[in-house]
mmCIF file of all heavy atoms in Angstrom:
data_model
loop_
_atom_site.group_PDB
_atom_site.id
_atom_site.type_symbol
_atom_site.label_atom_id
_atom_site.label_comp_id
_atom_site.label_asym_id
_atom_site.label_seq_id
_atom_site.Cartn_x
_atom_site.Cartn_y
_atom_site.Cartn_z
ATOM 1 N N GLU A 357 43.306 -133.983 -171.780
ATOM 2 C CA GLU A 357 44.574 -134.288 -172.458
ATOM 3 C C GLU A 357 44.722 -133.455 -173.728
ATOM 4 O O GLU A 357 45.809 -132.963 -174.036
ATOM 5 C CB GLU A 357 44.682 -135.784 -172.791
ATOM 6 C CG GLU A 357 45.085 -136.636 -171.613
ATOM 7 C CD GLU A 357 46.418 -136.204 -171.000
ATOM 8 O OE1 GLU A 357 47.426 -136.095 -171.732
ATOM 9 O OE2 GLU A 357 46.452 -135.965 -169.772
ATOM 10 N N LEU A 358 43.627 -133.297 -174.465
ATOM 11 C CA LEU A 358 43.660 -132.466 -175.669
ATOM 12 C C LEU A 358 43.901 -131.010 -175.287
ATOM 13 O O LEU A 358 44.650 -130.294 -175.963
ATOM 14 C CB LEU A 358 42.353 -132.613 -176.468
ATOM 15 C CG LEU A 358 42.303 -131.914 -177.822
ATOM 16 C CD1 LEU A 358 43.429 -132.381 -178.745
ATOM 17 C CD2 LEU A 358 40.937 -132.146 -178.476
ATOM 18 N N SER A 359 43.296 -130.563 -174.181
ATOM 19 C CA SER A 359 43.521 -129.199 -173.692
ATOM 20 C C SER A 359 44.981 -128.989 -173.313
ATOM 21 O O SER A 359 45.545 -127.921 -173.550
ATOM 22 C CB SER A 359 42.620 -128.880 -172.497
ATOM 23 O OG SER A 359 41.324 -128.594 -172.945
ATOM 24 N N LYS A 360 45.593 -130.021 -172.718
ATOM 25 C CA LYS A 360 47.004 -129.924 -172.341
ATOM 26 C C LYS A 360 47.870 -129.708 -173.585
ATOM 27 O O LYS A 360 48.771 -128.866 -173.600
ATOM 28 C CB LYS A 360 47.422 -131.195 -171.595
ATOM 29 C CG LYS A 360 48.793 -131.147 -170.987
ATOM 30 C CD LYS A 360 49.047 -132.412 -170.171
ATOM 31 C CE LYS A 360 50.464 -132.424 -169.638
ATOM 32 N NZ LYS A 360 50.770 -133.655 -168.912
ATOM 33 N N LYS A 361 47.571 -130.456 -174.649
ATOM 34 C CA LYS A 361 48.295 -130.283 -175.911
ATOM 35 C C LYS A 361 48.025 -128.886 -176.474
ATOM 36 O O LYS A 361 48.919 -128.224 -176.995
ATOM 37 C CB LYS A 361 47.868 -131.349 -176.922
ATOM 38 C CG LYS A 361 48.334 -132.736 -176.579
ATOM 39 C CD LYS A 361 47.804 -133.756 -177.577
ATOM 40 C CE LYS A 361 48.102 -135.170 -177.098
ATOM 41 N NZ LYS A 361 47.412 -136.187 -177.884
ATOM 42 N N GLY A 362 46.761 -128.456 -176.373
ATOM 43 C CA GLY A 362 46.387 -127.131 -176.872
ATOM 44 C C GLY A 362 47.083 -126.011 -176.123
ATOM 45 O O GLY A 362 47.477 -124.997 -176.719
ATOM 46 N N ALA A 363 47.274 -126.188 -174.815
ATOM 47 C CA ALA A 363 47.976 -125.189 -174.011
ATOM 48 C C ALA A 363 49.417 -125.062 -174.476
ATOM 49 O O ALA A 363 49.975 -123.953 -174.531
ATOM 50 C CB ALA A 363 47.923 -125.568 -172.530
ATOM 51 N N GLN A 364 50.024 -126.187 -174.839
ATOM 52 C CA GLN A 364 51.395 -126.162 -175.352
ATOM 53 C C GLN A 364 51.461 -125.429 -176.692
ATOM 54 O O GLN A 364 52.387 -124.657 -176.940
ATOM 55 C CB GLN A 364 51.933 -127.591 -175.491
ATOM 56 C CG GLN A 364 52.123 -128.281 -174.156
ATOM 57 C CD GLN A 364 52.415 -129.777 -174.300
ATOM 58 O OE1 GLN A 364 52.192 -130.381 -175.344
ATOM 59 N NE2 GLN A 364 52.919 -130.371 -173.224
ATOM 60 N N VAL A 365 50.465 -125.665 -177.545
ATOM 61 C CA VAL A 365 50.411 -124.971 -178.839
ATOM 62 C C VAL A 365 50.243 -123.477 -178.609
ATOM 63 O O VAL A 365 50.947 -122.658 -179.220
ATOM 64 C CB VAL A 365 49.256 -125.514 -179.723
ATOM 65 C CG1 VAL A 365 49.111 -124.680 -180.998
ATOM 66 C CG2 VAL A 365 49.479 -126.985 -180.069
ATOM 67 N N ALA A 366 49.315 -123.108 -177.721
ATOM 68 C CA ALA A 366 49.069 -121.681 -177.445
ATOM 69 C C ALA A 366 50.325 -120.999 -176.920
ATOM 70 O O ALA A 366 50.638 -119.864 -177.307
ATOM 71 C CB ALA A 366 47.916 -121.530 -176.446
ATOM 72 N N ALA A 367 51.058 -121.691 -176.059
ATOM 73 C CA ALA A 367 52.299 -121.117 -175.530
ATOM 74 C C ALA A 367 53.352 -121.011 -176.625
ATOM 75 O O ALA A 367 54.024 -119.981 -176.766
ATOM 76 C CB ALA A 367 52.819 -121.965 -174.376
ATOM 77 N N GLY A 368 53.476 -122.070 -177.422
ATOM 78 C CA GLY A 368 54.471 -122.083 -178.488
ATOM 79 C C GLY A 368 54.207 -121.058 -179.573
ATOM 80 O O GLY A 368 55.136 -120.502 -180.160
ATOM 81 N N ARG A 369 52.943 -120.789 -179.849
ATOM 82 C CA ARG A 369 52.552 -119.811 -180.882
ATOM 83 C C ARG A 369 52.349 -118.420 -180.305
ATOM 84 O O ARG A 369 51.964 -117.498 -181.006
ATOM 85 C CB ARG A 369 51.274 -120.269 -181.597
ATOM 86 C CG ARG A 369 51.379 -121.600 -182.287
ATOM 87 C CD ARG A 369 52.353 -121.576 -183.429
ATOM 88 N NE ARG A 369 52.448 -122.905 -184.029
ATOM 89 C CZ ARG A 369 53.319 -123.246 -184.932
ATOM 90 N NH1 ARG A 369 54.190 -122.372 -185.370
ATOM 91 N NH2 ARG A 369 53.344 -124.470 -185.410
ATOM 92 N N ARG A 370 52.556 -118.301 -178.996
ATOM 93 C CA ARG A 370 52.487 -117.019 -178.295
ATOM 94 C C ARG A 370 51.119 -116.326 -178.463
ATOM 95 O O ARG A 370 51.031 -115.118 -178.660
ATOM 96 C CB ARG A 370 53.626 -116.112 -178.755
ATOM 97 C CG ARG A 370 54.995 -116.738 -178.470
ATOM 98 C CD ARG A 370 56.162 -115.883 -178.862
ATOM 99 N NE ARG A 370 56.016 -114.552 -178.309
ATOM 100 C CZ ARG A 370 56.390 -113.449 -178.959
ATOM 101 N NH1 ARG A 370 56.938 -113.520 -180.136
ATOM 102 N NH2 ARG A 370 56.235 -112.276 -178.395
ATOM 103 N N CYS A 371 50.047 -117.105 -178.374
ATOM 104 C CA CYS A 371 48.689 -116.566 -178.524
ATOM 105 C C CYS A 371 48.394 -115.462 -177.510
ATOM 106 O O CYS A 371 47.720 -114.481 -177.813
ATOM 107 C CB CYS A 371 47.655 -117.686 -178.397
ATOM 108 S SG CYS A 371 47.822 -118.991 -179.630
ATOM 109 N N ALA A 372 48.901 -115.633 -176.285
ATOM 110 C CA ALA A 372 48.623 -114.672 -175.213
ATOM 111 C C ALA A 372 49.266 -113.317 -175.462
ATOM 112 O O ALA A 372 48.822 -112.313 -174.906
ATOM 113 C CB ALA A 372 49.083 -115.228 -173.870
ATOM 114 N N SER A 373 50.284 -113.257 -176.310
ATOM 115 C CA SER A 373 50.948 -111.973 -176.544
ATOM 116 C C SER A 373 50.003 -110.962 -177.190
ATOM 117 O O SER A 373 50.165 -109.758 -176.995
ATOM 118 C CB SER A 373 52.211 -112.154 -177.394
ATOM 119 O OG SER A 373 51.885 -112.604 -178.690
ATOM 120 N N CYS A 374 49.016 -111.422 -177.919
ATOM 121 C CA CYS A 374 48.001 -110.511 -178.487
ATOM 122 C C CYS A 374 46.654 -110.649 -177.769
ATOM 123 O O CYS A 374 45.982 -109.648 -177.515
ATOM 124 C CB CYS A 374 47.799 -110.797 -179.977
ATOM 125 S SG CYS A 374 49.208 -110.386 -181.018
ATOM 126 N N HIS A 375 46.262 -111.886 -177.476
ATOM 127 C CA HIS A 375 44.916 -112.144 -176.951
ATOM 128 C C HIS A 375 44.840 -112.056 -175.433
ATOM 129 O O HIS A 375 43.773 -112.278 -174.880
ATOM 130 C CB HIS A 375 44.428 -113.508 -177.448
ATOM 131 C CG HIS A 375 44.228 -113.558 -178.928
ATOM 132 N ND1 HIS A 375 43.079 -113.095 -179.540
ATOM 133 C CD2 HIS A 375 45.045 -113.985 -179.928
ATOM 134 C CE1 HIS A 375 43.194 -113.264 -180.845
ATOM 135 N NE2 HIS A 375 44.376 -113.793 -181.114
ATOM 136 N N THR A 376 45.924 -111.740 -174.759
ATOM 137 C CA THR A 376 46.096 -111.597 -173.308
ATOM 138 C C THR A 376 46.174 -112.965 -172.615
ATOM 139 O O THR A 376 45.755 -113.979 -173.175
ATOM 140 C CB THR A 376 45.000 -110.740 -172.616
ATOM 141 O OG1 THR A 376 43.777 -111.463 -172.545
ATOM 142 C CG2 THR A 376 44.815 -109.404 -173.320
ATOM 143 N N ASP A 377 46.705 -112.964 -171.405
ATOM 144 C CA ASP A 377 46.888 -114.211 -170.644
ATOM 145 C C ASP A 377 45.576 -114.918 -170.348
ATOM 146 O O ASP A 377 45.537 -116.131 -170.191
ATOM 147 C CB ASP A 377 47.626 -113.936 -169.326
ATOM 148 C CG ASP A 377 49.078 -113.552 -169.542
ATOM 149 O OD1 ASP A 377 49.633 -113.857 -170.620
ATOM 150 O OD2 ASP A 377 49.662 -112.941 -168.633
ATOM 151 N N SER A 378 44.489 -114.153 -170.265
ATOM 152 C CA SER A 378 43.178 -114.749 -169.993
ATOM 153 C C SER A 378 42.432 -115.080 -171.282
ATOM 154 O O SER A 378 41.316 -115.580 -171.237
ATOM 155 C CB SER A 378 42.338 -113.789 -169.145
ATOM 156 O OG SER A 378 42.077 -112.603 -169.879
ATOM 157 N N PHE A 379 43.044 -114.772 -172.418
ATOM 158 C CA PHE A 379 42.445 -114.974 -173.744
ATOM 159 C C PHE A 379 41.113 -114.248 -173.875
ATOM 160 O O PHE A 379 40.245 -114.654 -174.633
ATOM 161 C CB PHE A 379 42.310 -116.466 -174.084
ATOM 162 C CG PHE A 379 43.630 -117.176 -174.082
ATOM 163 C CD1 PHE A 379 43.955 -118.072 -173.069
ATOM 164 C CD2 PHE A 379 44.579 -116.926 -175.064
ATOM 165 C CE1 PHE A 379 45.187 -118.711 -173.047
ATOM 166 C CE2 PHE A 379 45.811 -117.559 -175.050
ATOM 167 C CZ PHE A 379 46.122 -118.446 -174.046
ATOM 168 N N ALA A 380 40.968 -113.144 -173.123
ATOM 169 C CA ALA A 380 39.755 -112.323 -173.187
ATOM 170 C C ALA A 380 39.837 -111.273 -174.286
ATOM 171 O O ALA A 380 38.872 -110.566 -174.525
ATOM 172 C CB ALA A 380 39.508 -111.651 -171.838
ATOM 173 N N GLY A 381 40.993 -111.174 -174.953
ATOM 174 C CA GLY A 381 41.148 -110.173 -176.003
ATOM 175 C C GLY A 381 41.273 -108.781 -175.423
ATOM 176 O O GLY A 381 41.109 -108.574 -174.220
#
Side-chain angles (χ1 to χ4, degrees):
E357 281 303 307
L358 186 57
S359 282
K360 188 175 176 183
K361 290 176 189 170
Q364 293 170 344
V365 174
R369 300 295 178 189
R370 300 182 51 217
C371 300
S373 65
C374 292
H375 294 278
T376 73
D377 291 340
S378 64
F379 301 108

